[in-house]
Amino acid sequence: MTEHAEWSEAESSAAPAGGAVTPADAADAARLVAFGLQPRLQPARDQKYADLLRRYREDPPFARLADAVATGLGLIVLEVSPRAGMAVTAAEDSVFAIRMGDYARRTSADGGDRFLHGLAHLAVAVMAFPRPEDLADDGYIGRVTVNGVDAFVRQTCHRLEERAAEQGENTDPASDAPGLETAWRIWARRSATGATKDARRLAGSTTGIVAKAVTFLTDSGFLQRTGDDNGGTYRTTARYQLQVRDLAGSAALAELLELGVVPVTDGTPTLLPADSGEELDLVADAGLPFHST
């Protein structure tokens, strides 16, 4: 994590390279943040980007200036490194924030489907990094498939249905009740592929919803497509790992953790909460590239 993510008035007087801040310094700092807003851009393929990353690491005043530019734009700096570039995420009040309600409305006329789209993103994150040590290991690369994510959610639906039956809960979904308890009922009743004669994947089917999620994550530089098997195969990027590290503390993920249904390679459920004393050095208030409201 970057040690320069916090900006204060006391630090604002610090100037790059031992002198007053120049327009060129400000332009370079803004350019670095602009590079960070292009998540699919690789520092290794852009010399200017690599040079600015090196300056950020070697010139603390310049780093503070770049952090200030990011803060002013409502961005949170997750990490600045050769592997991730300048990894930033939008704060909730940032103009760059994408809200789940807006995201869902782009993909379906049914506003209630936003729970399903949120669940798809949550499931992709869980499948990509099924163990706490996977999140902590900078070298770990997660892999997911569209069909695998759908199968996992359906397994989760079955577990939640069993839990509801054991507790004597009403199995009819309440339209205004947020969270997994509503989403699993809708997901379980939704067709996996659609009703076309050739079983083509429809946008409103569950695999269609998962496909929309992984496409969005790929376009955002969080996943890379590696093949077409099982509805599409994907691998994670360093930026996605940074995003999911913050998600690891969410209530929704904790609810999935409690179910213990995440398959890892051989199908053995191994997703368990980290030990209470284990720290992942997360950035406060950072999250996935959308917000729940």
Side-chain angles (χ1 to χ4, degrees):
M1 298 296 171
T2 174
E3 62 179 328
H4 306 294
E6 297 296 327
W7 177 268
S8 67
E9 293 182 1
E11 291 174 317
S12 64
S13 60
V21 176
T22 67
D25 294 327
D28 281 346
R31 188 171 294 112
L32 178 57
V33 174
F35 282 136
L37 288 169
Q38 302 174 63
R40 301 182 71 175
L41 180 63
Q42 300 296 319
R45 299 181 179 180
D46 191 295
Q47 188 59 50
K48 182 62 176 178
Y49 192 4
D51 290 343
L52 289 173
L53 287 174
R54 186 179 307 108
R55 183 179 178 187
Y56 183 101
R57 298 194 307 274
E58 297 175 355
D59 185 351
F62 175 75
R64 289 194 291 271
L65 181 60
D67 288 337
V69 172
T71 299
L73 292 172
L75 300 171
I76 300 168
V77 179
L78 297 174
E79 179 176 297
V80 180
S81 67
R83 79 178 186 114
M86 186 168 197
V88 296
T89 189
E92 187 170 357
D93 59 350
S94 173
V95 296
F96 296 101
I98 299 175
R99 303 188 182 280
M100 180 53 74
D102 296 334
Y103 170 88
R105 279 191 290 273
R106 290 187 219 164
T107 61
S108 172
D110 183 0
D113 276 4
R114 71 188 185 96
F115 289 123
L116 301 187
H117 289 284
L119 182 54
H121 275 275
L122 181 64
V124 171
V126 171
M127 292 290 287
F129 302 101
R131 299 166 298 189
E133 55 265 36
D134 300 334
L135 279 179
D137 181 3
D138 286 347
Y140 181 84
I141 297 176
R143 301 179 191 279
V144 299
T145 69
V146 169
N147 293 346
V149 171
D150 182 52
F152 159 61
V153 177
R154 290 187 179 277
Q155 184 183 10
T156 303
C157 291
H158 179 67
R159 182 64 61 87
L160 286 167
E161 184 177 14
E162 290 180 334
R163 187 174 71 178
E166 291 171 357
Q167 297 175 355
E169 296 177 358
N170 181 13
T171 57
D172 291 329
S175 60
D176 59 347
L180 295 179
E181 293 297 338
T182 296
W184 72 259
R185 292 164 178 161
I186 303 174
W187 193 288
R189 297 174 183 178
R190 188 69 60 91
S191 170
T193 58
T196 59
K197 292 182 179 179
D198 57 359
R200 284 183 295 111
R201 187 166 64 199
L202 299 180
S205 67
T206 54
T207 54
I209 289 172
V210 174
K212 178 66 179 180
V214 294
T215 298
F216 172 81
L217 292 170
T218 301
D219 291 342
S220 300
F222 296 125
L223 296 178
Q224 294 176 345
R225 189 179 179 102
T226 59
D228 299 325
D229 294 339
N230 295 309
T233 59
Y234 299 81
R235 56 178 286 176
T236 61
T237 66
R239 284 173 173 254
Y240 191 47
Q241 185 182 52
L242 293 171
Q243 294 278 352
V244 178
R245 280 179 179 173
D246 180 74
L247 179 66
S250 72
L253 184 60
E255 190 171 352
L256 281 181
L257 287 171
E258 292 174 0
L259 296 173
V261 296
V262 180
V264 181
T265 61
D266 63 354
T268 303
T270 60
L271 181 60
L272 299 172
D275 295 336
S276 58
E278 185 174 350
E279 296 292 339
L280 286 177
D281 191 25
L282 305 182
V283 175
D285 300 325
L288 287 176
F290 46 72
H291 298 274
S292 60
T293 55

